[in-house]
């Protein structure tokens, strides 16, 4: 078996690697490091979890070891699609370059521009940046790119998703054609192929297989929940999720949801029920996201509830459990999600909650992974799903001919609740619908759930959520 010592790395780098506890390179590291050390371009087709960050960081450190940085002229740039990913690359430099006199700077949104500029003025060897922020500083003449010897593009497929390809193309053109390029992408969409053909010079193509399609060390389970509409299926899923988690011994786990609103609701619901959980998604403040991630990495937070975009590329080692609150729209994302567990040969478990609405996406997942998850047999008490929840909501019903698309909106405006201050619907849903029985409060005028009149579905303005009117009223009466 190949060891790190076989790859042509210096004693300083090997010492830093040994201190991280790794002794065996991953497939992408084994193949990419010797090539990158020679100065050739690399086209790495690998996804997160394969160890690709070290695959480009280690040879960069070696190749930059000789030479000095100059003010505003980085010798290398690493382009990452998200701030979190850029942050992780910087952490990799911190780990692996500790015995080298190299310096690096992060150029990401949400961090003080003045600090970043003052670092650049002093001279940095490696600039780790998101494309927009880099171009922004370039346009203000705070950074020059004509001294770049190595350019890394990390997660190019994510860049494509986020519309960064024109920025990447511009940055390529601003760097000298003599540079070495290390380019990584999980997939090779036509647009990505075009970029690599235009800007890479005879790259050595290195492809590593998807971890999830081969990972036998991940046990996959599926649990089908009752419910015939989006609202009660979501509630049934929250009940099932709690029941499943309660049966497990969890060191740390990630709960994935398709939608940001669900990320918030599920995280709140879990917290209300006494689980140590917090949300992470793109709408949350950057500082808060970093803080949440940090406490998850340290083990202070047990359950991270995340959206796919927020979680993609996050360096979270050794996750024991993955929970799929729903089936992602892209089967690829399922592979990414469950690839969060069972890393580096460890064992892991992935749970999937399935409702009728998920079936179509589930078929796509089965086609891709060619592996049917085991059906989880677990007695779950769904009695909290009241009769009202099983009625078909107006959200799921197609409007009849002549009926307005959103009749409920008008009803909201006319009803007394329309004048109410904005209500946090997430907490309405969690605190009333989903809270433990002991903490439920009912106003004197409110009837018990089983004797309620048919529920009027209303859409709270700006929230996009359909909340039964009685829920809004009961909150306002508190
Ligand atoms: P990446 O694909 O770069 O996001 O890395 C995925 C995870 O694997 C990170 O948590 C790394 O710290 C870890 N890792 C990287 N290289 C190795 C290795 N050779 N052995 C074990 N774990 C590794």
């Amino acid at each position: 078996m190949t060891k790190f010592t076989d790859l042509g790395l210096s004693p300083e780098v090997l010492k830093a690697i040994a201190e991280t506890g790794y002794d065996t390179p991953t497939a992408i590291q084994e193949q990419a490091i010797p090539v990158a050390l020679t100065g050739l371009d690399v086209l790495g087709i690998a996804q997160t979890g394969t160890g690709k960050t070290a695959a480009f960081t280690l040879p960069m450190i070696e190749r930059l070891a000789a030479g000095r940085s100059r003010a505003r002229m980085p010798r290398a740039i690493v382009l990452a699609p998200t701030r979190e990913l850029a942050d992780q690359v910087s952490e990799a430099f911190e780990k692996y370059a500790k015995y080298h006199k190299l310096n690096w700077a992060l150029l990401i949104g949400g961090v003080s521009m003045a600090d970043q500029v003052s670092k650049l003025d002093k001279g940095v060897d490696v600039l780790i940046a998101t494309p927009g922020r880099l171009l922004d500083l370039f346009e203000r003449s705070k950074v020059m790119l004509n001294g770049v010897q190595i350019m890394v593009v990390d997660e190019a497929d994510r860049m494509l998703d986020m519309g960064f390809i024109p920025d990447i193309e511009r940055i390529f053109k601003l760097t000298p054609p003599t540079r070495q390029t290390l380019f990584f992408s999980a997939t090779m969409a036509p647009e990505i192929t075009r970029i690599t053909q235009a800007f890479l010079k005879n790259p050595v193509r290195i492809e590593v297989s998807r971890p999830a399609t081969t990972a036998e060390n991940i046990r996959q389970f599926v649990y089908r929940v009752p419910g015939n509409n989006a609202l009660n299926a979501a509630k049934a899923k929250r009940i099932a999720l709690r029941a499943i988690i309660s049966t497990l011994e969890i060191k740390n786990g990630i709960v994935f949801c398709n939608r940001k609103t669900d990320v918030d609701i599920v995280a709140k619901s879990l917290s209300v029920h006494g689980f140590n959980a917090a949300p992470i998604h793109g709408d949350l403040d950057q500082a808060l996201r970093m803080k949440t991630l940090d406490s998850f990495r340290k083990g202070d937070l047990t359950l991270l509830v995340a959206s796919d975009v927020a979680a993609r590329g996050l360096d979270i080692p050794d996750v024991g459990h993955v929970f799929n609150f729903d089936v992602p729209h892209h089967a690829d994302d399922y592979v990414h999600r469950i690839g969060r567990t069972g890393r580096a040969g460890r064992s892991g478990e992935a749970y999937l909650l399935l409702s009728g609405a998920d079936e179509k996406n589930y078929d796509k997942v089965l086609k891709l992974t060619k592996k049917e998850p085991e059906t989880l047999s677990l007695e779950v008490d769904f009695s909290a799903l009241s009769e009202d929840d099983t009625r078909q909501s107006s959200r799921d019903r197609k409007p009849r001919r002549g009926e307005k698309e959103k009749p409920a909106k008008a009803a909201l405006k006319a009803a007394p609740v329309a004048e109410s201050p904005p209500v946090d619907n997430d907490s309405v849903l969690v605190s009333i619908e989903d809270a433990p029985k002991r903490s439920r409060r009912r106003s004197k005028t409110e009837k018990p759930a089983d004797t309620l009149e048919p529920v009027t579905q209303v859409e709270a303005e700006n929230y996009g959520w359909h909340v039964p009117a009685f829920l809004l009223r009961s909150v306002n009466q508190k």
Side-chain angles (χ1 to χ4, degrees):
M1 193 185 275
T2 311
K3 295 261 176 219
F4 274 112
T5 43
D6 304 327
L7 301 181
L9 296 163
S10 68
E12 292 82 14
V13 165
L14 288 173
K15 190 169 169 212
I17 296 172
E19 283 170 19
T20 64
Y22 310 146
D23 62 351
T24 316
T26 63
I28 187 91
Q29 291 164 0
E30 184 182 336
Q31 295 173 69
I33 292 172
V35 174
L37 282 174
T38 66
L40 290 173
D41 283 2
V42 169
L43 171 57
I45 303 162
Q47 53 184 251
T48 198
T50 53
K52 64 181 168 51
T53 316
F56 62 75
T57 311
L58 297 172
M60 275 175 93
I61 294 169
E62 298 289 13
R63 286 180 50 76
L64 295 170
R68 281 189 52 220
S69 60
R70 290 165 58 191
R72 298 186 185 192
M73 283 184 77
R75 296 194 291 147
I77 50 175
V78 179
L79 298 174
T82 62
R83 300 163 192 180
E84 282 85 358
L85 202 62
D87 201 42
Q88 278 162 31
V89 174
S90 129
E91 280 168 21
F93 274 100
E94 212 154 292
K95 270 197 294 198
Y96 303 128
K98 64 202 270 199
Y99 299 113
H100 282 84
K101 275 204 188 74
L102 284 181
N103 54 26
W104 56 93
L106 262 178
L107 210 57
I108 54 179
V111 174
S112 146
M113 184 86 95
D115 289 353
Q116 297 177 350
V117 170
S118 98
K119 256 194 159 175
L120 277 170
D121 283 345
K122 286 186 200 133
V124 295
D125 297 297
V126 184
L127 198 55
I128 306 155
T130 46
R133 186 46 84 100
L134 178 62
L135 284 173
D136 191 3
L137 264 91
F138 175 81
E139 270 149 24
R140 295 170 195 222
S141 306
K142 303 287 184 205
V143 60
M144 286 178 281
L145 298 174
N146 46 344
V148 170
Q149 298 158 22
I150 307 173
M151 171 160 160
V152 176
V153 179
D154 195 11
E155 306 229 343
D157 51 334
R158 260 302 94 166
M159 305 262 197
L160 178 66
D161 283 357
M162 297 169 85
F164 289 157
I165 294 296
D167 287 352
I168 298 293
E169 214 163 338
R170 229 189 117 203
I171 296 168
F172 262 125
K173 287 178 184 159
L174 293 170
T175 58
T178 49
R179 62 158 200 269
Q180 177 186 25
T181 308
L182 309 174
F183 191 101
F184 292 84
S185 187
T187 54
M188 289 302 288
E191 187 64 358
I192 299 210
T193 305
R194 185 186 67 76
I195 290 270
T196 58
Q197 284 167 348
F199 298 105
L200 272 64
K201 299 177 298 287
N202 301 321
V204 176
R205 186 184 162 109
I206 298 165
E207 191 162 356
V208 298
S209 63
R210 297 168 181 286
T213 47
T214 53
E216 292 303 324
N217 50 330
I218 303 173
R219 273 189 86 181
Q220 298 179 56
F221 297 94
V222 61
Y223 187 84
R224 284 186 165 76
V225 300
N228 56 8
N229 65 45
L231 207 60
N232 69 22
K235 184 173 173 184
K237 284 181 174 186
R238 293 197 293 273
I239 295 171
L241 179 66
R242 296 197 295 269
I244 294 170
I245 292 175
S246 302
T247 66
L248 302 170
E249 231 171 75
I250 297 180
K251 183 176 153 239
N252 59 2
I254 308 182
V255 182
F256 284 101
C257 305
N258 286 357
R259 298 183 310 170
K260 291 177 213 164
T261 40
D262 281 333
V263 169
D264 280 330
I265 293 174
V266 171
K268 276 184 196 170
S269 165
L270 286 169
S271 303
V272 163
H273 286 269
F275 297 94
N276 180 8
I280 187 162
H281 61 67
D283 287 354
L284 296 174
D285 171 70
Q286 165 75 0
L288 182 65
R289 272 164 33 195
M290 295 281 200
K291 202 171 142 223
T292 303
L293 203 57
D294 202 42
S295 63
F296 189 65
R297 283 204 196 108
K298 283 194 201 130
D300 298 338
L301 177 69
T302 313
L303 292 165
L304 186 70
V305 188
S307 63
D308 291 295
V309 173
R312 183 82 71 109
L314 295 184
D315 182 14
I316 306 156
D318 192 24
V319 172
H321 294 83
V322 167
F323 302 92
N324 292 283
F325 189 75
D326 34 33
V327 189
H329 300 299
H330 301 289
D332 258 7
D333 280 332
Y334 177 79
V335 175
H336 280 123
R337 286 180 179 187
I338 76 163
R340 293 280 163 194
T341 185
R343 288 191 178 181
R346 294 185 200 99
S347 62
E349 288 181 358
Y351 292 81
L352 173 62
L353 296 168
L354 202 68
S355 71
D358 291 307
E359 290 291 353
K360 221 167 111 193
N361 288 338
Y362 187 51
D363 283 347
K364 290 195 265 177
V365 165
L366 294 182
K367 245 185 221 148
L368 178 72
T369 60
K370 297 185 179 65
K371 191 171 170 185
E372 183 128 19
E374 299 166 46
T375 299
L376 183 71
S377 64
L378 179 70
E379 286 276 321
V380 178
D381 176 10
F382 286 108
S383 57
L385 283 176
S386 71
E387 272 179 36
D388 297 300
D389 295 316
T390 53
R391 245 191 297 271
Q392 195 185 16
S393 75
S394 62
R395 184 187 186 194
D396 296 323
R397 179 170 64 78
K398 281 208 174 91
R400 278 187 285 272
R401 216 207 291 225
E403 193 178 67
K404 275 193 193 156
E405 268 287 342
K406 287 182 180 167
K409 208 164 187 171
L412 172 66
K413 287 220 169 84
V417 289
E419 277 92 51
S420 316
V423 178
D424 174 359
N425 294 307
D426 294 356
S427 61
V428 170
L429 284 169
V430 171
S431 64
I432 294 182
E433 198 195 321
D434 206 23
K437 285 205 169 61
R438 64 181 179 284
S439 65
R440 266 187 219 171
R441 262 183 276 154
R442 202 162 54 212
S443 73
K444 279 181 194 149
T445 50
E446 197 188 329
K447 295 177 190 171
D450 52 358
T451 61
L452 283 171
E453 285 107 33
V455 169
T456 322
Q457 294 287 331
V458 294
E459 186 187 26
E461 298 240 45
N462 304 324
Y463 286 87
W465 268 90
H466 295 251
V467 180
F470 80 93
L471 284 184
L472 289 173
R473 268 200 296 277
S474 65
V475 165
N476 295 327
Q477 280 161 7
K478 269 191 200 165

